[in-house]
Amino acid sequence: MTKIWDISPFIDENSDVFPGDSKYSQINHFQLNSDCPVNVSQISLSPHTGAHADAPLHYANGQAAIGLLELLPYLGPCRVIECFNSGNLIQPHHIQHALQNLPPRIILKTSVKASQSWDSFSAIHADTLKLLKDTIHAQKTYSDFLLIGIDTPSIDPDNSFDLPSHHFLLHNNCRVLENLVL
């Protein structure tokens, strides 16, 4: 039997979001009681609240919205690679210790906790993603690099405007999960 792990954080009004983005809120319209048979509420939040998958449309105009993406890249074997003490940017040498028999889905575990400060998290250098893709392809166990996940708010630094890691994934048809709880 396959075990499914929930690696998403609990979401509430205190959940961190990118500075200036919409915070989570919930408004109850109906409450279950003797006069009402159901609870009904409205929620509002940024799509980047908590753990989330970035749609290609998020960082490239004219690309697919999240509802148009296949689920396959998000389901299946993965490896969690510890990248402690990598600083603000995970470089290829931070993952060298874990390149044997890579599955098509990789999740990077840093020393930064999910939803920590936006100015002190570890992002991923695009060369690190290239190393993962090239290694998976060379090992010929799997056809391609399908997914990268990380337990920080983004795979690119918070001050990046060119988003090289996001665009590397777009160019290689790879998906991303961010702000995971590991």
Side-chain angles (χ1 to χ4, degrees):
M1 175 178 250
T2 302
K3 178 153 178 77
I4 297 175
W5 298 85
D6 182 0
I7 54 178
S8 58
F10 181 77
I11 296 174
D12 64 14
E13 296 81 10
N14 298 313
S15 297
D16 288 332
V17 295
F18 187 82
D21 207 349
S22 302
K23 297 247 310 149
Y24 172 92
S25 69
Q26 181 174 337
I27 301 168
N28 294 325
H29 287 290
F30 303 111
Q31 288 187 318
L32 182 64
N33 60 43
S34 60
D35 295 325
C36 183
V38 294
N39 287 312
V40 176
S41 60
Q42 172 186 334
I43 60 171
S44 175
L45 70 153
S46 163
H48 295 94
T49 304
H52 61 274
D54 277 350
L57 179 61
H58 173 53
Y59 47 89
N61 287 328
Q63 295 299 314
I66 198 70
L68 298 176
L69 299 180
E70 293 183 37
L71 286 177
L72 177 66
Y74 302 98
L75 305 170
C78 75
R79 173 165 312 148
V80 176
I81 299 175
E82 291 182 346
C83 302
F84 299 149
N85 303 316
S86 58
N88 289 341
L89 204 55
I90 299 168
Q91 301 279 349
H93 70 272
H94 293 120
I95 64 166
Q96 286 291 337
H97 66 282
L99 295 178
Q100 297 301 315
N101 303 313
L102 289 178
R105 296 162 194 88
I106 306 297
I107 297 175
L108 302 180
K109 182 177 183 178
T110 70
S111 55
V112 177
K113 300 296 181 219
S115 72
Q116 212 164 336
S117 172
W118 275 94
D119 59 2
S120 65
F121 66 87
S122 296
I124 308 169
H125 194 284
D127 288 348
T128 305
L129 297 173
K130 183 178 183 331
L131 174 61
L132 289 168
K133 179 183 178 11
D134 291 349
T135 302
I136 290 168
H137 181 70
Q139 290 174 358
K140 299 182 181 184
T141 306
Y142 294 95
S143 60
D144 213 351
F145 181 30
L146 299 176
L147 176 92
I148 187 74
I150 194 163
D151 60 352
T152 64
S154 178
I155 61 169
D156 279 301
D158 68 318
N159 61 355
S160 175
F161 281 85
D162 55 350
L163 305 174
S165 291
H166 280 87
H167 286 282
F168 176 88
L169 298 181
L170 177 65
H171 179 72
N172 289 283
N173 198 31
C174 188
R175 302 294 172 242
V176 61
L177 293 173
E178 297 170 328
N179 217 31
L180 304 172
V181 174
L182 303 175

